[in-house]
Amino acid sequence: MTQHSIDRLAGRSVVLIGGGSGIGLAVARQAVAAGAHVHLGGRTETTLQRAAAELGDAASWGVVDTSDDASVARFFERVEAVDALLTTAASYTTGPFTTSTIEEARSPFESKFWGQYRVVHAALPLLTPDASVVLMSGAASVRPAGPAAAYVAANAAIEGLARGLAVELAPVRVNAIAPGTIDGNLWAQRSAEVREAAFSGFSATTVLGRPGTEEEIADAVIHLFTSTYTTGSTLYVDGGYALR
């Protein structure tokens, strides 16, 4: 990525739902470093306050629940314009088709798919003509990581949504990013034993032989925010997991 590309974020408004931690916060740091103002959203006030304090005057924040239409609408009432948009916030259950309840199987769609759909829809009146929307799927969309058919389908649906919106919302650019297993905030909340087993298993199935980092995913998001001739694409930032 050239300095010229990064400069395209200077003075722009970047909305990051889930921006208080993890990948969202990593994107926020890079966006602020490039001269953008970031609007952070999430469900936990203390997490958002801590992130905004780190980022300084270039950050504002608001509590939002992406499962609630009214909450999302209220969040965007405090935003004047959207030049770039990413939603990483989601909470869902995965499990085998044979044993999961319909409610459990529905959760990746309700939270991850419909949460992002709801956010983009609410942001529509605020999207600038050259805005960039990045949706978050996952490499499981093309290579199932185990018995979790509904989760696989939800990620594939998000990538399809990116293609459909790229056509319908043009010249606004809409892309999807599909990470593999990432060594970061999410996995840090699990036991060392569970984490090490997951990382070892994932590493053995990738070309690069390791999990990714939040900063590497943020690099890819910033690229899609600033790439003026990329739309309707899915970028697999997965260390080659989808190739094996």
Side-chain angles (χ1 to χ4, degrees), residues 17 28 44 46 51-52 61 80 94 107 123 133 146 148 151 155 165 167 169 179 182 200-202 204 206 226-227 239:
I17 310 294
T44 307
T46 54
W61 61 273
E80 294 183 3
T94 63
S107 68
V133 175
Y151 175 70
N155 283 292
L165 291 180
V167 173
L169 301 185
I182 302 302
S200 176
F202 179 78
T206 67
T226 59
S227 180

Side-chain angles (χ1 to χ4, degrees), residues 171-244:
V172 169
R173 305 184 312 282
V174 185
N175 295 285
I177 189 165
T181 295
I182 302 302
D183 184 359
N185 178 69
L186 181 64
W187 281 101
Q189 299 173 40
R190 302 177 183 179
S191 70
E193 182 179 5
V194 169
R195 185 169 62 249
E196 289 167 9
F199 288 174
S200 176
F202 179 78
S203 297
T205 60
T206 67
V207 173
L208 297 184
R210 63 173 177 85
T213 67
E214 292 169 342
E215 289 72 23
E216 288 171 322
I217 305 306
D219 287 343
V221 172
I222 296 295
H223 165 71
L224 291 176
F225 279 169
T226 59
S227 180
T228 56
Y229 202 57
T230 304
T231 196
S233 295
T234 298
L235 182 56
Y236 294 92
V237 192
D238 63 355
Y241 171 81
L243 301 176
R244 296 294 290 269

Side-chain angles (χ1 to χ4, degrees), residues 49-171:
Q49 288 177 329
R50 184 168 56 247
E54 174 194 331
L55 296 168
D57 293 340
S60 57
W61 61 273
V63 173
V64 60
D65 180 352
T66 62
S67 70
D68 184 278
D69 289 350
S71 176
V72 175
R74 284 193 301 271
F75 174 83
F76 280 106
E77 287 175 356
R78 299 184 294 271
V79 178
E80 294 183 3
V82 178
D83 295 304
L85 174 63
L86 171 73
T87 303
T88 57
S91 178
Y92 48 83
T93 300
T94 63
F97 179 84
T98 53
T99 58
S100 295
T101 66
I102 296 298
E103 182 178 0
E104 289 170 337
R106 186 186 292 124
S107 68
F109 283 92
E110 293 290 352
S111 182
K112 192 171 185 179
F113 177 86
W114 285 111
Q116 294 185 77
Y117 188 105
R118 187 175 286 112
V119 166
V120 177
H121 194 272
L124 272 177
L126 304 173
L127 293 174
T128 57
D130 64 342
S132 173
V133 175
V134 177
L135 303 180
M136 177 70 72
S137 68
S141 63
V142 292
R143 185 182 173 193
Y151 175 70
V152 171
N155 283 292
I158 290 165
E159 294 172 14
L161 178 63
R163 292 190 292 272
L165 291 180
V167 173
E168 191 168 347
L169 301 185

